[in-house]
Amino acid sequence: MRRLGLTALSLVLAALVWLPCLHLVYGRDPDASFSAERVTPRARALAARHLALWSDPDARAREVARMRATNAEWDFMGRTFLVLALANMAAHDPPGSPERARALAAIDAIVEETLRLEEERGHQHFLMPYGRYGGWKADGRSVFVDGEVALMLGARRLVEERADWRPLLAERAERIVRALEGGPVLSGESYPDECWTFCNAAALAALRVHDALDRTDHGDLARRWLETARARLVEPTTGLLVSRYAWDGRVMEGPEGSSIWMVAHCLALVDEPFARDQYERARRELAIPALGFGLAREWPRSLPGHADVDSGPIVPGLEASAGSSGLAFLGASTFGDRAWLRGLQASLDLAGFPVEDGEGLRYAASNQVGDAVLLYAMVQGPLWAKVREALR
Amino acid sequence: MKKTWNGLAISAAAIVVVYLLLHALGGREATAVLSGAAPLDARGALGVLYAGAHLALVALAPILALAAALRAGLERLVAADSASSVASRDASSSG
């Protein structure tokens, strides 16, 4: 009996010593990865793997097929986040430098292929199957696709003008405006009778990018959207924007981690104080600090939900979500939350299974879209700064 | 006295061995299943096992190793304490 007691005491003491120290093993300085002032070597290593993928058609086809087998949206969002990341990186590199030329060439290849696929296979090619079943309340176009295509076109032009893309961006912006203005709550559908704050916030950010580039002014629409969202789309207990709602504004799903971090990031171009307030509320509701590690829940504690394709796998007990934790990097990076970035990064290094080799860096437990989000979080800053500067 | 700390040390070593074995079988690459981008087939199961073994390696094995060292130290202390008690009892009974 005494032996058992000594063993238990040893185990408890050892756990008390080791567990609080564990994060020190993984506690990388966030400034070594995340910076709006420079492209860190870690970001370059992560980008190298993506660039290699885009210069190897077979490898890319395999990766795209792997993602589309689970979710066609990932194929599309992987493109958007990678383009946004590369544009931010190119904005750092001096004109004429090989790094900038390589990033711009990759952006052009990604956007041109995306437009070609949309043209050849239809506007719904990047949607999940239920996007093709009909039942759209408006014209059958998805603000998810139009918004992110517009963001990609605009991001490229913010770094270096492509005059031939000017009408393409204007056309997408016009479609976004038509979708938003035509909706009872100033929101466009992403899927039939289904609006997402994620997609509408991205579309609004695209309009602000368009304003910055082409001297248009969608400020009034953005203000009205925010007024409507505050009145109709805020969940009362948390004060967070809901994630999914019908075209008429009927709420279908409350706040979600896999939406709110990106929403806050995009709305930072529309109304910075509101976006920051959403970020801080999300941080309070969704962040899981544990022994120096950081994770994010998919749903606020008071509003539980069920795992789905957006949340990714949920860690039992902790209720941490892969989707929310991945996008939390973008929120923390946008609002300069270094303390949480440190915790999130410790978790990523512990459970993301980084693989570093001659081709660069990737996370074995992630996929192309996950790594692209992470890369974007590492380098974001210059593009949004350019837009704010132009709109001042 | 039986060395109880041996069991703790062996458990820590077993975790290391299992982890290395799963690593050699390609477990790290198979963790793609955690992102939902790979099916939960035999390879996916390998990825899940590898992730579990990795967490055990970084969180549990050091605790077991530390506990083994602590347990060994405590055993020595207890043994020394018992020896001195016996010696003082012997001394008082002979006196």
Side-chain angles (χ1 to χ4, degrees), chain B residues 40-90:
Chain B
L40 187 54
D41 51 13
R43 190 169 163 71
L46 173 65
V48 173
L49 284 176
Y50 179 86
H54 178 80
L55 288 178
L57 179 80
V58 298
L60 194 56
I63 291 174
L64 290 167
L66 266 174
L70 281 169
R71 184 71 179 80
L74 288 172
E75 266 177 25
R76 277 207 192 118
L77 273 177
V78 169
D81 186 45
S82 305
S84 68
S85 305
V86 170
S88 58
R89 213 170 35 236
D90 288 351

Side-chain angles (χ1 to χ4, degrees), chain A residues 337-384:
Chain A
D337 191 344
R338 310 309 278 181
W340 203 33
L341 267 183
R342 183 183 288 273
L344 287 167
Q345 189 174 261
S347 302
L348 180 72
D349 286 346
L350 170 71
F353 304 109
V355 177
E356 286 179 83
D357 56 24
E359 275 187 31
L361 166 70
R362 72 191 159 86
Y363 289 87
S366 177
N367 52 30
Q368 191 271 333
V369 67
D371 280 2
V373 169
L374 190 62
L375 177 62
Y376 181 41
M378 284 181 178
V379 298
Q380 73 76 34
L383 284 194
W384 267 206

Side-chain angles (χ1 to χ4, degrees), chain A residues 2-3 6-7 9-11 13-15 17-19 22 26 66 70 74 313 350-351 353-355 362 364-367, chain B residues 1-2 4 8 28-29 31-32 34-38 50-51 54-55 58-59 62-64 66-67 70-71 74 78 82:
Chain A
R2 191 172 65 173
R3 252 192 219 163
L6 285 179
T7 304
L9 178 67
S10 305
L11 282 168
L13 287 175
V17 170
W18 178 246
L19 291 179
L22 183 56
Y26 294 94
R66 201 163 72 112
T70 306
W74 288 355
L350 170 71
F353 304 109
V355 177
R362 72 191 159 86
S366 177
N367 52 30
Chain B
M1 182 191 247
K2 191 182 164 195
T4 312
L8 295 169
R28 198 171 186 87
E29 291 297 333
T31 56
L34 300 178
S35 69
Y50 179 86
H54 178 80
L55 288 178
V58 298
I63 291 174
L64 290 167
L66 266 174
L70 281 169
R71 184 71 179 80
L74 288 172
V78 169
S82 305

Side-chain angles (χ1 to χ4, degrees), chain A residues 15-327:
Chain A
L16 286 174
V17 170
W18 178 246
L19 291 179
C21 295
L22 183 56
H23 76 280
L24 299 175
V25 178
Y26 294 94
R28 194 192 302 271
D29 179 4
D31 291 340
S33 302
F34 298 83
S35 175
E37 278 77 47
R38 67 193 175 99
V39 182
T40 62
R42 202 155 178 83
R44 287 245 186 252
L46 192 55
R49 175 74 70 163
H50 286 281
L51 290 169
L53 206 59
W54 272 92
S55 58
D56 180 346
D58 291 338
R60 189 169 81 244
R62 275 196 305 276
E63 184 65 28
V64 165
R66 201 163 72 112
M67 288 198 300
R68 290 188 69 89
T70 306
N71 187 346
E73 285 182 356
W74 288 355
D75 173 20
F76 184 61
M77 289 158 75
R79 293 161 193 263
T80 306
F81 284 115
L82 182 56
V83 164
L84 291 172
L86 292 174
N88 275 282
M89 291 172 74
H92 281 296
D93 294 321
S97 66
E99 290 86 2
R100 181 171 164 126
R102 198 166 176 221
L104 290 177
I107 291 173
D108 291 352
I110 295 167
V111 176
E112 281 161 5
E113 196 207 64
T114 306
L115 294 175
R116 182 180 58 76
L117 285 171
E118 188 196 22
E119 174 80 27
E120 287 174 5
R121 301 183 189 178
H123 181 67
Q124 277 113 20
H125 173 65
F126 294 109
L127 299 183
M128 288 194 276
Y130 73 100
R132 299 186 199 99
Y133 298 161
W136 295 83
K137 296 289 179 185
D139 61 1
R141 290 195 70 88
S142 170
V143 79
F144 163 57
V145 177
D146 283 331
E148 293 193 22
V149 166
L151 261 185
M152 287 194 266
L153 293 166
R156 163 53 159 109
R157 290 185 52 215
L158 278 169
V159 181
E160 213 169 282
E161 183 60 284
R162 260 196 71 158
D164 57 330
W165 283 9
R166 203 175 170 153
L168 297 182
L169 176 57
E171 185 193 335
R172 294 284 169 168
E174 202 182 302
R175 284 175 175 160
I176 292 168
V177 171
R178 206 180 308 144
L180 268 58
E181 292 283 15
V185 287
L186 291 178
S187 286
E189 296 162 283
S190 301
Y191 282 88
D193 198 18
E194 192 178 300
C195 305
W196 285 82
T197 42
F198 185 110
C199 305
N200 281 277
L204 285 169
L207 290 180
R208 299 309 277 162
V209 170
H210 180 42
D211 290 349
L213 283 164
D214 300 319
R215 302 286 158 216
T216 51
D217 184 2
H218 296 94
D220 177 58
L221 172 58
R223 271 187 298 278
R224 285 185 289 120
W225 188 91
L226 274 176
E227 275 171 27
T228 309
R230 279 190 176 106
R232 304 280 303 273
L233 304 176
V234 168
E235 192 285 318
T237 40
T238 59
L240 286 168
L241 285 167
V242 300
S243 56
R244 187 163 67 107
Y245 45 102
W247 191 60
D248 63 8
R250 184 173 31 88
V251 173
M252 300 166 83
E253 231 169 327
E256 283 184 351
S258 54
S259 285
I260 197 66
W261 308 115
M262 174 66 169
V263 169
H265 170 70
C266 290
L267 292 183
L269 276 191
V270 178
D271 184 327
E272 212 275 339
F274 179 73
R276 184 173 288 279
D277 176 66
Q278 285 292 302
Y279 172 75
E280 285 167 0
R281 285 174 188 273
R283 173 88 150 78
R284 279 198 298 276
E285 293 286 340
L286 304 174
I288 309 169
L291 299 166
F293 291 89
L295 291 163
R297 302 168 59 93
E298 176 70 346
W299 307 281
R301 281 168 193 80
S302 52
L303 305 163
H306 300 287
D308 58 19
V309 74
D310 297 318
S311 69
I314 304 284
V315 180
L318 283 174
E319 298 304 315
S321 136
S324 178
S325 299
L327 281 157

